Amino acid sequence: MLGPKQLLLEADVTVLHAWWFIESVADLAIYVNDESKHILHLGIEILREIRRRYPTLPLNEVKQLAATITEIAWGEILQRRARKRHSITLADRRFLWSNAQPDPRCYLCGYRFSPQAGARLTRSGLNAPIADPLFVDFTRPRGLNQRDLRIEVDHVRPVTAGGLTDISNLRLACGWCNRVKSKYGSLYDVGSWALGKILNPHLGWVTVPQPFWVLRLVSMTGYCEEPSGCSATLDTHELFAGPHNARGALNPANFAVYCSDHDPWAYERYVSLSVARSRT
């Protein structure tokens, strides 16, 4: 029932459940905001709760479980304490742009950045608007606004989850991906139902997937899944969301990743801006 992306779907929900469990044992917000508390306070609280919750568990296993939870939770607390957002400097932007050459792409979808967008990022050119596209991919309608076409600096680990503004945690992303990613980290962080439907001129009525589904599944897969084999990856190509079953809705249970050469919707996915905005 979970489809070809079963491992990713199960991994996302397992991580989500794990964090719910950890924060049910001890509210990390207390320790994030009260820096007089240290790991010993946290460890004692977690040990007491684990012993209360699992009274029949052998003491050595209680201690081992409590120690593991304490280690994970304390690392998260330290990250959150240090998560003050610092401005991304022009030097950082220029370093990231230089490091991305000669083929600068969005690290989340593989979209190739235009020279105009690069000039705006590094402030080496005029801030003239980037030309709007005539057609957009209805699964990833990059171009409905100017921000989508710009280059933005993304925190791989979101600031809200303790990510630091450090060059090791920064990547170049297209405005669409950066906006859609926001603070989300799991498929289950967004709505479980599609956004709606559009009347595609080639496909007829077709479901419009949640944008974060597309971003998450494309970025986590990272390569073209053409069954006969393909070498395209996010480092070399833009990758697209397409269905395994063309008669089924494009959702996480019916999701495949393709390069433009193997995309079953190579032409059908592109619709006018007016069609893309007409979702019902």
Side-chain angles (χ1 to χ4, degrees):
M1 287 175 61
L2 293 178
K5 298 299 179 188
Q6 177 175 342
L7 290 178
L8 179 57
L9 292 169
E10 291 178 342
D12 272 8
V13 78
T14 300
V15 170
L16 178 63
H17 289 172
W19 276 114
W20 284 350
F21 173 75
I22 289 171
E23 298 207 58
S24 75
V25 173
D27 189 344
L28 304 192
I30 297 170
Y31 294 86
V32 171
N33 291 285
D34 184 356
E35 296 197 14
S36 68
K37 292 185 178 294
H38 49 73
I39 191 170
L40 182 60
H41 295 114
L42 178 67
I44 292 171
E45 180 181 350
I46 289 175
L47 180 61
R48 286 174 177 167
E49 175 60 18
I50 294 299
R51 290 191 69 179
R52 184 194 70 80
R53 230 179 251 205
Y54 306 108
T56 61
L57 202 63
L59 183 58
N60 65 317
E61 293 186 26
V62 168
K63 290 181 177 179
Q64 183 179 7
L65 178 58
T68 300
I69 294 173
T70 300
E71 181 181 0
I72 295 171
W74 188 249
E76 179 68 16
I77 288 165
L78 293 179
Q79 286 278 1
R80 293 186 189 181
R81 284 180 178 179
R83 77 180 189 188
K84 296 177 182 177
R85 183 185 287 273
H86 300 288
S87 61
I88 298 167
T89 66
L90 180 59
D92 289 337
R93 295 172 187 272
R94 288 178 173 172
F95 175 82
L96 290 167
W97 178 248
S98 175
N99 203 43
Q101 304 305 316
D103 191 23
R105 295 179 178 274
C106 172
Y107 86 106
L108 293 166
C109 72
Y111 172 70
R112 196 175 197 283
F113 299 127
S114 68
Q116 294 86 350
R120 289 180 65 101
L121 175 76
T122 60
R123 298 182 187 171
S124 61
L126 297 175
N127 287 335
I130 302 168
D132 291 330
L134 296 176
F135 300 94
V136 296
D137 173 2
F138 78 89
T139 73
R140 184 170 54 211
R142 184 193 297 108
L144 291 185
N145 61 62
Q146 273 282 306
R147 176 184 172 182
D148 291 353
L149 303 171
R150 296 174 185 169
I151 304 172
E152 299 187 354
V153 179
D154 178 46
H155 291 77
V156 177
R157 184 178 188 185
V159 172
T160 53
L164 302 179
T165 303
D166 178 83
I167 203 70
S168 64
N169 191 44
L170 301 177
R171 299 288 187 278
L172 296 181
C174 68
W176 188 89
C177 283
N178 199 29
R179 173 171 58 82
V180 168
K181 181 188 174 194
S182 184
K183 62 183 179 181
Y184 303 131
S186 161
L187 286 166
Y188 305 100
D189 289 342
V190 299
S192 58
W193 301 105
L195 286 187
K197 61 184 182 297
I198 62 169
L199 183 57
N200 185 297
H202 309 287
L203 298 172
W205 286 105
V206 61
T207 295
V208 179
Q210 283 280 353
F212 188 73
W213 294 350
V214 176
L215 184 151
R216 177 77 170 151
L217 290 162
V218 167
S219 64
M220 290 301 293
T221 302
Y223 63 91
C224 177
E225 296 182 291
E226 164 62 26
S228 62
C230 178
S231 61
T233 69
L234 287 174
D235 293 330
T236 60
H237 292 73
E238 183 174 358
L239 299 180
F240 302 89
H244 278 283
N245 170 25
R247 300 296 298 171
L250 185 60
N251 63 36
N254 183 37
F255 193 100
V257 176
Y258 300 101
C259 68
S260 57
D261 290 338
H262 297 116
D263 181 10
W265 285 347
Y267 301 103
E268 292 88 346
R269 72 172 58 252
Y270 290 101
V271 300
S272 67
L273 299 183
S274 61
V275 170
R277 292 188 176 106
S278 67
R279 186 184 75 239
T280 61

